[in-house]
Amino acid sequence: NIRVLHANGAAPHQWLVPVARATRLPLLAHLHIDYRRRSRFVCLLHQSTLLVGVSRQVTEDFLRDGMAAERTHTIYNGIDFSRLERKGDGTLRHYLGIPQDAVVITAAGSLIRRKGQDVLIRAFATLVPGRDIHLLIAGEGPDRAGYEALTVELGVQSRVHFLGHSGDISSVYQATDIVALASRADAFGLVLAEAGYFFIPAVATAVGGIPEVIEDGVTGLLVPPDDPSALAQALVRLVDDPEQRRALGRAAKARTERMFSVERMVANFHDTYERLARLPHDKLGWLGADLSLGPYLKAITGR
């Protein structure tokens, strides 16, 4: 009694296309990242009945390829708030030797070049000397040793704390005043929505789907990527203005609860599945393939 096929990414999608055609079932491709042009075509993503991106930005390249807009949809990632409500004991600052009145900036994510922690460390190093400001970096990855060496090179190793993988991210957020995300590319930026749940404003780069999570000047501040100076200026604005931090934090909390709950995500998928299940089967077999050839013809002819 299968009614809909759901491919969680491009790799399984390419193998499900012939299955979907043969069984005349609708096929949904759920995309969590950007795909380069070659991958979009090789993985047959244009052959899906519906593309669902975690942000609008994820599906924009498909529209440029010539895919019909009605065959794309956005469902934002959802957060299980009950997981975040398992609060820690609030002792992380004490454990790290950070005074309660210090300003703490936090970055969470894999320690890889795409996440831009090197840009953040360089920006942090230019903040006003003598100010009691600390940077927490939660996460692991292959670039950790290089980032640790960079903090030594810039003379900020005593105020940059590498936490590694954190099994209790709530404790990290509890110790945080500002969340920073210096990504060079990012399809969504879940950490920004999670931080919003804790009334924490964000400073982030205006790349990928991040502007769909952070409303510039309302729930946080957006800056260009690979620009330590612009990032530092935005951080200083929030470090120097506690009232603005609180105002942005309140707006971030409201936006997260309104747009990024797991309940909202599940409801959107439920409605989408039901809509796909109602499609006529005679439109989904091999004879319906010509409905999806537009992007391929455009790629061949260049028009």
Side-chain angles (χ1 to χ4, degrees):
N1 296 317
I2 295 172
R3 299 169 64 196
V4 176
L5 297 175
H6 178 134
N8 194 38
H13 180 272
Q14 62 189 317
W15 310 114
L16 282 175
V17 168
V19 176
R21 295 292 186 190
T23 57
R24 295 189 176 187
L25 288 172
L27 173 58
L28 179 152
H30 190 195
L31 305 183
H32 304 265
I33 61 173
D34 298 332
Y35 288 94
R36 294 183 178 180
R37 188 171 185 269
R38 180 180 183 278
S39 296
R40 297 198 298 272
F41 283 92
V42 169
C43 293
L44 303 175
L45 287 169
H46 304 90
Q47 293 294 312
S48 65
T49 312
L50 183 69
L51 287 175
V52 174
V54 298
S55 63
R56 292 189 301 274
Q57 183 267 340
V58 168
T59 59
E60 286 177 352
D61 283 336
F62 293 92
L63 300 179
R64 285 188 281 269
D65 290 340
M67 195 166 184
E70 60 267 22
R71 291 182 49 230
T72 67
H73 186 48
T74 300
I75 298 180
Y76 292 125
N77 287 328
I79 299 169
D80 179 1
F81 297 142
S82 66
R83 176 178 64 85
L84 297 180
E85 287 167 358
R86 293 198 292 270
K87 300 183 183 298
D89 57 13
T91 62
L92 182 59
R93 284 192 181 219
H94 176 74
Y95 174 77
L96 296 173
I98 300 175
Q100 291 301 313
D101 58 351
V103 175
V104 173
I105 301 166
T106 292
S110 300
L111 304 189
I112 54 177
R113 184 180 185 279
R114 180 171 58 85
K115 289 295 186 178
Q117 285 96 339
D118 56 317
V119 180
L120 176 58
I121 292 169
R122 292 186 184 280
F124 179 78
T126 68
L127 300 185
V128 182
R131 297 287 299 274
D132 202 1
I133 307 170
H134 291 253
L135 174 61
L136 308 184
I137 298 180
E140 278 293 355
D143 292 342
R144 174 168 177 164
Y147 294 154
E148 290 177 330
L150 181 60
T151 66
V152 175
E153 176 188 331
L154 298 175
V156 293
Q157 68 272 23
S158 65
R159 295 187 292 118
V160 178
H161 310 269
F162 288 86
L163 306 181
H165 174 72
S166 176
D168 181 13
I169 194 65
S170 297
S171 293
V172 179
Y173 290 134
Q174 284 180 332
T176 299
D177 297 297
I178 304 165
V179 158
L181 189 61
S183 297
R184 293 178 168 95
D186 212 313
F188 185 76
L190 186 64
V191 61
L192 302 173
E194 287 184 343
Y197 183 75
F198 287 87
F199 295 92
I200 303 171
V203 174
T205 47
V207 299
I210 289 176
E212 298 176 49
V213 181
I214 296 299
E215 191 174 357
D216 191 26
V218 178
T219 65
L221 303 177
L222 295 178
V223 299
D226 265 317
D227 190 338
S229 177
L231 184 60
Q233 291 175 28
L235 289 171
V236 167
R237 280 180 58 186
L238 295 190
V239 167
D240 288 343
D241 193 342
E243 183 50 45
Q244 186 182 25
R245 291 204 305 267
R246 287 189 285 270
L248 295 177
R250 288 192 295 269
K253 170 76 167 181
R255 184 175 177 84
T256 290
E257 291 187 331
R258 183 175 70 251
M259 297 182 62
F260 306 124
S261 70
V262 70
E263 290 82 8
R264 181 183 178 89
M265 176 184 174
V266 168
N268 284 341
F269 267 110
H270 181 272
D271 292 345
T272 300
Y273 291 153
E274 289 292 344
R275 178 162 55 89
L276 290 175
R278 289 194 294 268
L279 292 175
H281 285 196
D282 59 357
K283 301 291 186 181
L284 300 172
W286 291 109
L287 294 179
D290 60 335
L291 298 177
S292 305
L293 293 180
Y296 298 88
L297 296 175
K298 182 179 178 181
I300 294 170
T301 64
R303 292 184 285 177

